[in-house]
Amino acid sequence: VDHDPMLQWPALAAILGVNMIGYSIFRGANGQKDQFRTDPNSPEVSHLTFLQTKRGTKLLTSGWWGMARKINYTGDWIMGLSWCMVCGFE
C-alpha cells in the first residue's frame, strides 16, 4: 500500500471530529442501554420510557433508543465513514 492522500491538517481534524461524533453516539447509546438493564431505577435512566414486550423484556422508547431502534449502529456507520475518509477524496 503506497498511496498518500495528502490530506491537510484541517481535513484530518474534520475527519477526527466525525469519528468522535460517531463514537459518542455509539458509546452513549450502548451505555444508556446497559445502565437501564443493570439498574432501571438509577437517576441517570429512571426518566426513560419503555414498552413491556411479550417476552417480558423492556424496549426503550425514549433517550437514544427513542430516536431510532438501533441507534448504536448509526454511530458505527459514522465511525466507518471517518475511517474511509482518511483514504482521501478524488
Side-chain angles (χ1 to χ4, degrees):
V1 178
D2 190 28
H3 173 71
D4 184 359
M6 302 289 189
L7 296 174
Q8 301 296 318
W9 285 108
L12 292 173
I15 291 169
L16 179 62
V18 169
N19 186 275
M20 290 171 60
I21 289 168
Y23 185 76
S24 296
I25 294 170
F26 175 79
R27 290 296 302 154
N30 283 328
Q32 185 180 69
K33 181 174 66 173
D34 180 62
Q35 181 70 31
F36 185 78
R37 285 183 176 171
T38 305
D39 182 14
N41 297 317
S42 170
E44 292 88 12
V45 294
S46 63
H47 67 281
L48 297 175
T49 59
F50 62 90
L51 293 173
Q52 194 74 36
T53 66
K54 290 181 181 179
R55 293 188 318 150
T57 59
K58 297 176 182 175
L59 179 65
L60 287 171
T61 57
S62 64
W64 282 107
W65 298 90
M67 289 187 229
R69 179 92 190 267
K70 303 282 186 180
I71 192 72
N72 58 324
Y73 293 137
T74 302
D76 276 334
W77 277 90
I78 293 171
M79 286 189 293
L81 173 65
S82 73
W83 301 330
C84 294
M85 292 167 76
V86 174
C87 294
F89 309 90
E90 283 190 29

